[in-house]
Amino acid sequence: MAYEEISSRNTGQNILEIVRQALPGLRKSERKVADRVLEDPNRILNAALAEAAALSDVSEPTVIRFCVAIGCSGYQEFKLRLAHSLALGTTATHSVLSKNDSTAELVEKIFGYTMTSLDWARSHLDTQALGEAIALLSRARSIEFFGLGASGIVALDAQQKFPLFGVPCGAQADTHQQLMTASMMQAGDVAVIFSNTGHTIAMIEVAKVAKDGGAKVIAVSGSRSPLLDHCDVAILVETLDNTDIYTPTISRIAALVVVDILCSAVGLRRDAEHGKRFENMKQLLRNQRVNGPLKTSSLGVKNDGS
């Protein structure tokens, strides 16, 4: 990765994630500093320049060059940004996962990394954009959710929560069906498009087509991207996923949380009659569950009510 690209990054981004992403493009001596930072960030945070150099087995100028390479003006700015990142929670970057890790260590690292990333997403979420999206969804005549891959799973989850939205909702998985559905949308309809990268051509095309037909378009994306140019409201859900190697589980969890926020907020804004119908629906579901001991059918199979 080019140093210029690293240096141009948003200074609000988690510095530990920047270090992890920068590793392939660093000089061998600078990688020693990066590895030490990722291995024990708290130790580096409390270390003076000379100590950080000694811990990394490099010279002090090398530590400074490392800081500049990842977009910091020097060691002090790096430590300030490191302190901010650590304040989000216990970090556990995927880059330090090891084949020798025990099950307990893997649990600690992955849970820690997930919680840190979700905290990061929460602290950077634009509540004004959320409010605008909630207003559009509250007035919608119908809602269509779009996404592919992991984002498609989020779209299906949103559609499954349609009783809270209170209007007809759909979520097509096939790209042809998505385009057909988008082409039929018009004023009064709302399209919600999930794309963590925001660069998926099919989703950009869906946004264009739906918007051209008069529908309002909401994007839920992990970064500022071409998709946002074709949307009325952009909800940025920035996480620390490494999607080049790992499946984007954390970004999916964060997007699912945003879905819960949207559907809960819209549901709370519906009138009392909608609330009554929703409660009746929930009661019908509760009636489908077993109360008390499991019963055995005439075939001798236990019915657990699932």
Side-chain angles (χ1 to χ4, degrees):
M1 184 178 297
Y3 292 165
E4 292 77 13
E5 180 184 348
I6 299 167
S7 301
S8 66
R9 290 183 180 276
N10 187 332
T11 55
Q13 188 178 355
N14 190 316
I15 194 67
L16 290 167
E17 182 65 5
I18 291 177
V19 172
R20 185 191 64 74
Q21 293 175 346
L23 272 171
L26 296 176
R27 298 182 178 91
K28 184 177 179 179
S29 58
E30 293 166 354
R31 284 201 297 272
K32 288 184 177 182
V33 184
D35 289 338
R36 189 59 173 150
V37 168
L38 294 173
E39 179 184 341
D40 195 350
N42 284 289
R43 180 74 180 276
I44 296 297
L45 178 64
N46 295 304
L49 176 59
E51 184 182 359
L55 289 169
S56 306
D57 194 26
V58 298
S59 67
E60 292 181 27
T62 296
V63 175
I64 299 298
R65 285 196 297 270
F66 159 78
C67 295
V68 173
I70 61 170
C72 296
S73 60
Y75 187 58
Q76 289 308 311
E77 183 188 346
F78 167 71
K79 288 181 66 174
L80 285 173
R81 293 178 65 182
L82 180 60
H84 176 73
S85 295
L86 292 176
L88 293 173
T90 303
T91 185
T93 64
H94 278 128
S95 60
V96 295
L97 290 180
S98 168
K99 292 181 179 180
N100 298 322
D101 285 340
S102 67
T103 301
E105 288 172 329
L106 286 173
V107 168
E108 183 65 25
K109 288 180 179 181
I110 294 174
F111 262 97
Y113 188 81
T114 301
M115 290 186 290
T116 297
S117 190
L118 290 177
D119 243 355
W120 177 264
R122 177 178 60 178
S123 67
H124 288 74
L125 204 56
D126 185 344
T127 54
Q128 180 176 339
L130 277 172
E132 293 172 1
I134 291 165
L136 286 179
L137 293 168
S138 297
R139 298 192 300 266
R141 179 183 60 187
S142 68
I143 305 170
E144 290 289 339
F145 299 100
F146 301 92
L148 292 174
S151 296
I153 295 173
V154 179
L156 290 172
D157 179 79
Q159 191 275 334
Q160 189 266 339
K161 292 181 170 66
F162 78 92
L164 272 170
F165 287 106
V167 295
C169 296
Q172 304 296 329
D174 179 82
T175 53
H176 288 181
Q177 289 289 341
Q178 289 176 340
L179 199 58
M180 290 165 60
T181 299
S183 70
M184 297 301 292
M185 298 184 76
Q186 53 189 309
D189 300 330
V190 175
V192 183
I193 301 177
F194 299 96
S195 176
N196 186 47
T197 67
H199 286 77
T200 305
I201 294 173
M203 292 299 95
I204 294 173
E205 187 64 20
V206 163
K208 289 179 182 178
V209 171
K211 194 172 177 65
D212 287 346
K216 294 296 183 181
V217 180
I218 299 169
V220 181
S221 182
S223 63
R224 299 193 179 279
S225 57
L227 173 64
L228 307 190
D229 296 333
H230 307 284
C231 298
D232 297 286
V233 177
I235 301 175
L236 293 179
V237 190
E238 182 185 4
T239 60
L240 308 180
D241 259 339
N242 175 11
T243 54
D244 290 334
I245 302 175
Y246 299 91
T247 55
T249 303
I250 298 172
S251 60
R252 188 190 314 169
I253 293 171
L256 289 170
V257 173
V258 168
V259 168
D260 280 347
I261 293 170
L262 293 175
C263 70
S264 297
V266 172
L268 289 170
R269 283 161 174 73
R270 297 298 184 192
D271 58 24
E273 180 60 29
H274 173 74
K276 183 178 180 180
R277 291 197 304 272
F278 183 78
E279 182 52 39
N280 288 339
M281 178 271 293
K282 296 293 286 185
Q283 185 58 53
L284 286 172
L285 291 178
R286 284 192 287 269
N287 291 342
Q288 301 302 307
R289 301 187 180 103
V290 170
N291 292 317
L294 296 180
K295 298 179 180 179
T296 302
S297 71
S298 59
L299 297 176
V301 179
K302 287 188 176 181
N303 177 10
D304 62 3
S306 61

